[in-house]
Amino acid sequence: MIDVQELTKQYAGRTAVNNISFQVEPGEIVGFLGPNGAGKSTTMRILSGYMPATSGRATVGGFDVFHQSIQVRQSVGYMPENAPLYMDMRVKEYLKFRAELKGLSGLTMRRRIGEVMELTGVTDMRKRLIGNLSKGYRQRVALADALVHKPKLLILDEPTNGLDPVQIRHVRDLLRNLKAKHTVLLSTHILHEVEQTCDRVVMIHQGRIRANDTPANLTRQLRSTTLLHLEIEGIGNLAEKFSALNAVRKATEEELLVHPWRRFTLRVEPDHDVRDQVMELAMKEKWRIREMHLQLPTLEDVFVELSMNAGTPTDIPTHVL
């Protein structure tokens, strides 16, 4: 659905997007992540036909975004961050106006407007002025606008910005339901939502692709440590003995529970599981364990490490699917 090859965008004095390449397959939900200023919005604007690139090539649904921009725009539903809505129009009136601009008319248009209002949860607001809506509802109207012409590709820049937790869950469920008919490229800072929604994550930093893989693979492959949490009954300096185990970077006693139970956290090297070693040590020392569980690195850990990494993209395991 999306094929980006060596795409670059330069402004006066800086390079916003630096020779990036990636693909998005039909039916995928792909999270496009990176810190502020990384180049996410610039890339999305190029793919949606809102701005030209300096060099490189990009196609959407087989159409070149530079030479076949009309066909690309017909295939794309784009929701920018802080979408520019007409505040003096009513919700249904605005969606009718936007649908007409996108080539819909008659019964087809009326049915489709009803469908997208229902999908995005703004049916009850259809007669309200957009200027009187909350920020969350304005986001919903912008999403309905992006969906109204049944695009093959949805490009969503911070679609949950300003939404409360219930509304965020609604958008997440909506995206999952759209997967059967739409490909989705979305930018967001809510990493928990990405882990639950996206099939794949493309991370960009300083204009370059730093990682491209599933959320699960990224958390496994990156250098973040694994945490092992323990509740244990034992006497003496247990932290010192845990620290002496192979692959344990550090053992810390977190808090004293009801005597004689104690809680420890072990920071473990990636790709190592020390639970068997801990059990053997406990049996040897005659300690009792009532809880032991692993806390694997999260996508947030990956995001932070990539954002702070100052090396070249080859320092990070990158997989272009």
Side-chain angles (χ1 to χ4, degrees):
M1 178 56 69
I2 298 176
D3 186 11
V4 174
Q5 298 295 331
E6 300 178 352
L7 197 70
T8 296
K9 177 63 178 180
Q10 294 177 329
Y11 296 104
R14 74 181 185 92
T15 300
V17 176
N18 192 351
N19 197 40
I20 67 171
S21 299
F22 67 94
Q23 293 81 39
V24 177
E25 298 299 328
E28 276 194 304
I29 300 178
V30 175
F32 199 45
L33 305 181
N36 292 333
K40 305 185 302 297
S41 294
T42 297
T43 303
M44 289 180 158
R45 288 169 187 160
I46 292 172
L47 291 174
S48 58
Y50 275 66
M51 75 166 55
T54 304
S55 63
R57 180 174 178 271
T59 61
V60 173
F63 297 110
D64 189 285
V65 297
F66 314 121
H67 304 297
Q68 298 169 295
S69 62
I70 298 299
Q71 292 92 329
V72 168
R73 294 183 190 197
Q74 291 172 343
S75 303
V76 172
Y78 176 46
M79 178 184 161
E81 186 179 8
N82 302 318
L85 304 172
Y86 291 106
M87 299 298 173
D88 57 347
M89 296 182 75
R90 301 184 189 280
V91 171
K92 188 174 181 179
E93 178 188 12
Y94 172 77
L95 292 175
K96 179 177 180 293
F97 167 68
R98 293 292 295 166
E100 289 174 342
L101 288 179
K102 296 177 181 183
L104 278 68
S105 62
L107 182 60
T108 300
M109 177 183 68
R110 292 193 295 274
R111 284 179 176 172
R112 186 57 184 164
I113 289 173
E115 289 172 359
V116 296
M117 286 195 300
E118 185 69 25
L119 275 172
T120 56
V122 298
T123 302
D124 292 343
M125 303 292 166
R126 62 188 181 279
K127 296 182 180 180
R128 295 275 299 273
L129 288 174
I130 293 175
N132 292 337
L133 298 179
S134 67
K135 186 176 182 180
Y137 272 107
R138 291 178 192 175
Q139 288 291 98
R140 293 187 186 203
V141 173
L143 182 57
D145 175 15
L147 286 166
V148 74
H149 60 301
K150 291 187 177 180
K152 295 180 180 178
L153 172 65
L154 280 172
I155 298 178
L156 310 177
D157 196 354
E158 299 290 348
T160 56
N161 185 25
L163 303 187
D164 62 37
V166 174
Q167 293 170 332
I168 289 173
R169 178 173 292 185
H170 179 85
V171 171
R172 181 179 68 205
D173 294 340
L174 172 60
L175 292 176
R176 286 174 175 166
N177 292 334
L178 292 174
K179 183 178 177 180
K181 297 180 179 179
H182 304 269
T183 303
V184 181
L185 178 66
L186 69 95
S187 166
T188 180
H189 286 99
I190 304 178
L191 301 181
H192 176 66
E193 296 303 316
V194 173
E195 288 184 295
Q196 295 199 11
T197 306
C198 294
D199 303 308
R200 188 156 51 88
V201 174
V202 176
M203 288 192 176
I204 185 171
H205 183 50
Q206 296 178 346
R208 292 181 178 271
I209 299 295
R210 299 291 183 177
N212 184 344
D213 210 332
T214 65
N217 284 343
L218 284 176
T219 56
R220 275 200 306 267
Q221 294 167 356
L222 213 66
R223 297 185 296 272
S224 301
T225 57
T226 299
L227 301 180
L228 179 63
H229 299 285
L230 295 165
E231 286 188 13
I232 191 167
E233 178 190 23
I235 300 173
N237 192 344
L238 276 64
E240 181 178 341
K241 294 183 178 180
F242 286 138
S243 297
L245 296 176
N246 181 45
V248 175
R249 290 184 180 179
K250 184 179 181 181
T252 306
E253 185 164 3
E254 299 295 334
E255 60 181 297
L256 180 64
L257 301 178
V258 177
H259 183 78
W261 296 101
R262 301 160 71 182
R263 178 173 293 162
F264 293 86
T265 296
L266 279 57
R267 301 184 65 86
V268 183
E269 296 285 350
D271 299 322
H272 287 80
D273 189 342
V274 299
R275 286 177 292 182
D276 286 344
Q277 293 185 65
V278 170
M279 288 299 299
E280 291 174 3
L281 179 61
M283 292 174 64
K284 177 183 176 181
E285 299 289 340
K286 297 183 179 180
W287 300 333
R288 287 199 300 157
I289 297 177
R290 71 176 181 183
E291 181 180 335
M292 179 166 58
H293 68 272
L294 286 173
Q295 178 184 330
L296 297 175
T298 65
L299 193 60
E300 181 176 352
D301 299 323
V302 176
F303 182 88
V304 170
E305 183 163 342
L306 289 174
S307 299
M308 296 178 63
N309 190 287
T312 63
T314 54
D315 294 331
I316 305 298
T318 301
H319 301 269
V320 180
L321 304 181

